[in-house]
Amino acid sequence: QVQLVESGGGLVQAGGSLRLSCAASGLTFSSYVLSWFRQAPGKEREFVAGIRGSGARTDYLDSVQGRFTVSRDNAKSTVYLQMNNLKPEDTAVYYCAADFRVYGLRTADTEYDYWGQGTQVTVSS
């Protein structure tokens, strides 16, 4: 049984930082693209950042480029999202998701096979 468990969310002031973690089990971790999505109230879920199985390629939403960094530790089956200089518009539930893929990195949520339960990030102004 595949499980993705996020942690690290919370309340932070604008300009602050948070580090999200997503621990995976039940899958061959290095064979999966791991990505972070977010969903704010009243909005559609959107791709935030993703990283290929080898870690060689990453991709980011334009509005988080330069502020967020996605990384992974295949030995620990864990993916991370370091979020710096947070803004109120970053407030959302953040989800990690896994896509079994050898080539490429997809940003559409329909491409992803497994999802975590989400962790709330709230940025106050």
PDB file of all heavy atoms in Angstrom, residues 11-28:
ATOM      1  N   LEU A  11       1.813  28.073  10.551  1.00  0.00           N
ATOM      2  CA  LEU A  11       1.529  29.508  10.416  1.00  0.00           C
ATOM      3  C   LEU A  11       2.853  30.265  10.488  1.00  0.00           C
ATOM      4  O   LEU A  11       3.657  30.047  11.410  1.00  0.00           O
ATOM      5  CB  LEU A  11       0.599  29.956  11.539  1.00  0.00           C
ATOM      6  CG  LEU A  11       0.326  31.452  11.660  1.00  0.00           C
ATOM      7  CD1 LEU A  11      -0.404  31.969  10.429  1.00  0.00           C
ATOM      8  CD2 LEU A  11      -0.480  31.732  12.933  1.00  0.00           C
ATOM      9  N   VAL A  12       3.066  31.156   9.544  1.00  0.00           N
ATOM     10  CA  VAL A  12       4.301  31.925   9.487  1.00  0.00           C
ATOM     11  C   VAL A  12       3.987  33.333   8.999  1.00  0.00           C
ATOM     12  O   VAL A  12       3.016  33.528   8.265  1.00  0.00           O
ATOM     13  CB  VAL A  12       5.336  31.227   8.570  1.00  0.00           C
ATOM     14  CG1 VAL A  12       4.841  31.186   7.133  1.00  0.00           C
ATOM     15  CG2 VAL A  12       6.709  31.860   8.676  1.00  0.00           C
ATOM     16  N   GLN A  13       4.790  34.284   9.416  1.00  0.00           N
ATOM     17  CA  GLN A  13       4.606  35.654   8.943  1.00  0.00           C
ATOM     18  C   GLN A  13       5.199  35.820   7.544  1.00  0.00           C
ATOM     19  O   GLN A  13       6.120  35.075   7.147  1.00  0.00           O
ATOM     20  CB  GLN A  13       5.272  36.635   9.908  1.00  0.00           C
ATOM     21  CG  GLN A  13       4.543  36.795  11.231  1.00  0.00           C
ATOM     22  CD  GLN A  13       5.117  37.915  12.078  1.00  0.00           C
ATOM     23  OE1 GLN A  13       6.301  38.239  11.971  1.00  0.00           O
ATOM     24  NE2 GLN A  13       4.289  38.511  12.908  1.00  0.00           N
ATOM     25  N   ALA A  14       4.689  36.783   6.832  1.00  0.00           N
ATOM     26  CA  ALA A  14       5.228  37.095   5.510  1.00  0.00           C
ATOM     27  C   ALA A  14       6.731  37.350   5.617  1.00  0.00           C
ATOM     28  O   ALA A  14       7.197  38.007   6.552  1.00  0.00           O
ATOM     29  CB  ALA A  14       4.528  38.305   4.923  1.00  0.00           C
ATOM     30  N   GLY A  15       7.469  36.804   4.656  1.00  0.00           N
ATOM     31  CA  GLY A  15       8.918  36.900   4.674  1.00  0.00           C
ATOM     32  C   GLY A  15       9.598  35.743   5.375  1.00  0.00           C
ATOM     33  O   GLY A  15      10.827  35.591   5.277  1.00  0.00           O
ATOM     34  N   GLY A  16       8.832  34.918   6.057  1.00  0.00           N
ATOM     35  CA  GLY A  16       9.390  33.788   6.788  1.00  0.00           C
ATOM     36  C   GLY A  16       9.596  32.570   5.904  1.00  0.00           C
ATOM     37  O   GLY A  16       9.371  32.609   4.686  1.00  0.00           O
ATOM     38  N   SER A  17      10.008  31.490   6.546  1.00  0.00           N
ATOM     39  CA  SER A  17      10.336  30.263   5.828  1.00  0.00           C
ATOM     40  C   SER A  17       9.670  29.057   6.486  1.00  0.00           C
ATOM     41  O   SER A  17       9.423  29.057   7.697  1.00  0.00           O
ATOM     42  CB  SER A  17      11.852  30.031   5.811  1.00  0.00           C
ATOM     43  OG  SER A  17      12.524  31.068   5.147  1.00  0.00           O
ATOM     44  N   LEU A  18       9.404  28.059   5.676  1.00  0.00           N
ATOM     45  CA  LEU A  18       8.953  26.755   6.132  1.00  0.00           C
ATOM     46  C   LEU A  18       9.594  25.694   5.257  1.00  0.00           C
ATOM     47  O   LEU A  18       9.899  25.949   4.090  1.00  0.00           O
ATOM     48  CB  LEU A  18       7.431  26.612   6.042  1.00  0.00           C
ATOM     49  CG  LEU A  18       6.559  27.309   7.081  1.00  0.00           C
ATOM     50  CD1 LEU A  18       5.092  27.165   6.703  1.00  0.00           C
ATOM     51  CD2 LEU A  18       6.801  26.750   8.465  1.00  0.00           C
ATOM     52  N   ARG A  19       9.761  24.506   5.839  1.00  0.00           N
ATOM     53  CA  ARG A  19      10.246  23.371   5.076  1.00  0.00           C
ATOM     54  C   ARG A  19       9.236  22.238   5.202  1.00  0.00           C
ATOM     55  O   ARG A  19       8.993  21.731   6.292  1.00  0.00           O
ATOM     56  CB  ARG A  19      11.601  22.904   5.591  1.00  0.00           C
ATOM     57  CG  ARG A  19      12.251  21.840   4.712  1.00  0.00           C
ATOM     58  CD  ARG A  19      13.405  21.189   5.428  1.00  0.00           C
ATOM     59  NE  ARG A  19      14.266  20.428   4.538  1.00  0.00           N
ATOM     60  CZ  ARG A  19      15.049  19.430   4.929  1.00  0.00           C
ATOM     61  NH1 ARG A  19      15.079  19.083   6.216  1.00  0.00           N
ATOM     62  NH2 ARG A  19      15.815  18.796   4.070  1.00  0.00           N
ATOM     63  N   LEU A  20       8.657  21.871   4.065  1.00  0.00           N
ATOM     64  CA  LEU A  20       7.733  20.748   4.029  1.00  0.00           C
ATOM     65  C   LEU A  20       8.490  19.462   3.701  1.00  0.00           C
ATOM     66  O   LEU A  20       9.445  19.485   2.936  1.00  0.00           O
ATOM     67  CB  LEU A  20       6.652  20.973   2.978  1.00  0.00           C
ATOM     68  CG  LEU A  20       5.838  22.265   3.086  1.00  0.00           C
ATOM     69  CD1 LEU A  20       4.752  22.275   2.000  1.00  0.00           C
ATOM     70  CD2 LEU A  20       5.239  22.437   4.456  1.00  0.00           C
ATOM     71  N   SER A  21       8.021  18.376   4.277  1.00  0.00           N
ATOM     72  CA  SER A  21       8.575  17.055   3.988  1.00  0.00           C
ATOM     73  C   SER A  21       7.449  16.127   3.571  1.00  0.00           C
ATOM     74  O   SER A  21       6.307  16.295   4.010  1.00  0.00           O
ATOM     75  CB  SER A  21       9.273  16.469   5.216  1.00  0.00           C
ATOM     76  OG  SER A  21      10.339  17.271   5.643  1.00  0.00           O
ATOM     77  N   CYS A  22       7.771  15.169   2.740  1.00  0.00           N
ATOM     78  CA  CYS A  22       6.812  14.154   2.331  1.00  0.00           C
ATOM     79  C   CYS A  22       7.520  12.812   2.333  1.00  0.00           C
ATOM     80  O   CYS A  22       8.423  12.585   1.516  1.00  0.00           O
ATOM     81  CB  CYS A  22       6.246  14.463   0.961  1.00  0.00           C
ATOM     82  SG  CYS A  22       5.175  13.171   0.287  1.00  0.00           S
ATOM     83  N   ALA A  23       7.139  11.953   3.263  1.00  0.00           N
ATOM     84  CA  ALA A  23       7.743  10.631   3.388  1.00  0.00           C
ATOM     85  C   ALA A  23       6.884   9.615   2.655  1.00  0.00           C
ATOM     86  O   ALA A  23       5.666   9.542   2.881  1.00  0.00           O
ATOM     87  CB  ALA A  23       7.880  10.250   4.851  1.00  0.00           C
ATOM     88  N   ALA A  24       7.525   8.839   1.791  1.00  0.00           N
ATOM     89  CA  ALA A  24       6.807   7.859   0.986  1.00  0.00           C
ATOM     90  C   ALA A  24       7.118   6.441   1.444  1.00  0.00           C
ATOM     91  O   ALA A  24       8.208   6.158   1.945  1.00  0.00           O
ATOM     92  CB  ALA A  24       7.183   8.014  -0.489  1.00  0.00           C
ATOM     93  N   SER A  25       6.144   5.570   1.259  1.00  0.00           N
ATOM     94  CA  SER A  25       6.346   4.149   1.532  1.00  0.00           C
ATOM     95  C   SER A  25       5.503   3.339   0.571  1.00  0.00           C
ATOM     96  O   SER A  25       4.513   3.840   0.019  1.00  0.00           O
ATOM     97  CB  SER A  25       5.978   3.812   2.979  1.00  0.00           C
ATOM     98  OG  SER A  25       4.624   4.116   3.230  1.00  0.00           O
ATOM     99  N   GLY A  26       5.917   2.090   0.334  1.00  0.00           N
ATOM    100  CA  GLY A  26       5.148   1.202  -0.519  1.00  0.00           C
ATOM    101  C   GLY A  26       5.391   1.367  -2.001  1.00  0.00           C
ATOM    102  O   GLY A  26       4.644   0.806  -2.810  1.00  0.00           O
ATOM    103  N   LEU A  27       6.407   2.122  -2.389  1.00  0.00           N
ATOM    104  CA  LEU A  27       6.716   2.277  -3.807  1.00  0.00           C
ATOM    105  C   LEU A  27       8.229   2.333  -3.997  1.00  0.00           C
ATOM    106  O   LEU A  27       8.974   2.580  -3.041  1.00  0.00           O
ATOM    107  CB  LEU A  27       6.046   3.530  -4.381  1.00  0.00           C
ATOM    108  CG  LEU A  27       6.189   4.887  -3.675  1.00  0.00           C
ATOM    109  CD1 LEU A  27       7.566   5.473  -3.842  1.00  0.00           C
ATOM    110  CD2 LEU A  27       5.156   5.852  -4.213  1.00  0.00           C
ATOM    111  N   THR A  28       8.651   2.109  -5.232  1.00  0.00           N
ATOM    112  CA  THR A  28      10.066   2.232  -5.577  1.00  0.00           C
ATOM    113  C   THR A  28      10.344   3.713  -5.805  1.00  0.00           C
ATOM    114  O   THR A  28      10.168   4.237  -6.903  1.00  0.00           O
ATOM    115  CB  THR A  28      10.395   1.408  -6.832  1.00  0.00           C
ATOM    116  OG1 THR A  28      10.001   0.047  -6.624  1.00  0.00           O
ATOM    117  CG2 THR A  28      11.903   1.458  -7.118  1.00  0.00           C
TER     118      THR A  28
END
